[in-house]
Amino acid sequence: MTNHFKELASRLEAVSTLIRTGCIWKVTENCLEELRLPFRQAHHDFAFCNAVKGLGEAACINHDTRRIADMLRLRSEAFLQECHAGAVELLIPFRHAQRVFGVVMCGPFRSGENGQGRCPAAAAAYRELPVWRPEFRPALEKLVRVSLSGLLHELYTLRPELLSQPVRDARILAVLEFLNARYAERITIRQAAELVYLSPSRLSHLFRQTCGMDFSEYLLALRLGVARELLAGTDLAIGEIAVRCGFGDQNHFSAIFRKRTGRTASEYRRDRPEIIV
């Protein structure tokens, strides 16, 4: 991770600590994950969200990549919204030249002291969320903008190459969200195609046309990016990293890692490089 993204992750985590819930960054108006950030600053990785996703991710994917994306195209100011599971979030869009280049999402929160949520299976986790209080909104928005505006401007508006062209096809957005959330599992293009009601061959064509690379190439790049971050930033065993990143076993991971990077995983860890995903 470059120093700029390390600093962004640090500031997001600081806000998250203060509000006792998430503070994450999604890039572009389509709410895509910023793969150069640690997982926790780019995904809804909280007990409540994970409990809801465990019942089926389709609604979460639709909420993030479609509903919120549609809202961002119509709004220029921060706004509060309620997700399909009954939690609320404060969304703070960042714009440049009349275009949203990303959004900070603060939450999830309970909607009130007696809020129950809309997902009975996640009720216990919902009750553990902090309560949203409207009087906090001005201070929270100011905190986020003061903390992040300068850094985000430097990262994205002065370096537009970091922003990919917005993906407009909702089916590809759903597949990207699926891959970014489930890369540690055994994933086939058939599974992804079924998620968006396409044939594998049709999805393969659309994915390459939209993303500029094959489905399998994207998934491998995603897994290797996470692996590089874990090698440089943690002391996890290489075998555990292999499993966490979806490679199955250490031998398979080691062979692919060396082929792609020219170094073994141990050599890469020893050098502790700056990571650019």
Side-chain angles (χ1 to χ4, degrees):
M1 194 188 313
T2 65
N3 288 333
H4 283 89
F5 283 106
K6 284 183 178 179
E7 182 61 25
L8 176 56
S10 176
R11 295 186 190 186
L12 289 167
E13 183 62 27
V15 175
S16 178
T17 299
L18 285 172
I19 63 177
R20 297 189 300 111
T21 187
C23 182
I24 67 175
W25 169 251
K26 297 275 192 174
V27 68
T28 82
E29 64 187 12
N30 291 307
C31 294
L32 299 180
E33 283 79 6
E34 173 52 86
L35 297 180
R36 286 158 289 212
L37 283 175
F39 191 87
R40 187 170 173 79
Q41 278 78 54
H43 296 77
H44 289 91
D45 185 30
F46 313 102
F48 171 72
C49 298
N50 291 334
V52 173
K53 290 176 184 177
L55 302 173
E57 290 189 302
C60 295
I61 291 171
N62 180 70
H63 176 72
D64 277 5
T65 61
R66 300 174 194 174
R67 184 171 175 228
I68 291 180
D70 288 342
M71 291 179 180
L72 289 171
R73 295 185 187 104
L74 300 173
R75 298 170 182 255
S76 58
E77 303 299 326
F79 60 96
L80 196 69
Q81 66 86 38
E82 187 175 64
C83 78
H84 64 284
V88 297
E89 294 177 296
L90 180 66
L91 275 66
I92 305 172
F94 284 78
R95 292 178 177 271
H96 177 70
Q98 305 303 312
R99 176 189 168 195
V100 173
F101 65 87
V103 59
V104 170
M105 305 171 76
C106 297
F109 295 91
R110 269 189 293 158
S111 58
E113 291 287 357
N114 299 315
Q116 298 297 314
R118 299 189 193 133
C119 184
Y126 183 85
R127 288 192 293 271
E128 295 299 317
L129 295 175
V131 176
W132 171 254
R133 301 190 185 281
E135 61 268 27
F136 292 166
R137 176 172 170 169
L140 178 53
E141 182 179 354
K142 185 173 183 179
L143 172 65
V144 168
R145 292 203 181 277
V146 169
S147 299
L148 301 179
S149 290
L151 181 59
L152 290 172
H153 176 70
E154 185 175 352
L155 264 175
Y156 293 102
T157 65
L158 298 182
R159 300 172 65 192
E161 70 276 8
L162 292 179
L163 278 175
S164 58
Q165 291 298 312
V167 178
R168 301 291 184 185
D169 192 317
R171 296 166 297 183
I172 300 301
L173 288 171
V175 170
L176 290 173
E177 183 79 8
F178 173 73
L179 293 178
N180 294 341
R182 304 278 289 275
Y183 62 84
E185 303 174 18
R186 290 177 62 90
I187 295 174
T188 66
I189 194 169
R190 182 174 296 279
Q191 287 175 289
E194 289 175 353
L195 179 70
V196 291
Y197 306 103
L198 292 173
S199 69
S201 60
R202 178 59 177 160
L203 174 59
S204 178
H205 173 76
L206 282 177
F207 195 95
R208 183 166 187 80
Q209 184 181 61
T210 304
C211 301
M213 66 177 71
D214 291 335
F215 176 90
S216 58
E217 290 173 346
Y218 178 90
L219 181 57
L220 179 58
L222 174 60
R223 286 169 167 166
L224 285 172
V226 177
R228 289 198 298 270
E229 184 172 315
L230 292 175
L231 284 168
T234 76
D235 292 318
L236 290 172
I238 292 174
E240 184 173 351
I241 290 175
V243 173
R244 286 194 180 197
C245 295
F247 290 99
D249 63 70
Q250 183 172 339
N251 290 337
H252 179 55
F253 167 64
S254 296
I256 292 177
F257 192 89
R258 183 164 191 168
K259 181 178 180 180
R260 289 297 184 115
T261 68
R263 287 182 287 177
T264 67
S266 296
E267 290 169 341
Y268 191 90
R269 165 169 276 170
R270 181 193 63 206
D271 295 338
R272 298 281 175 172
E274 291 292 334
I275 301 171
I276 302 176
V277 177

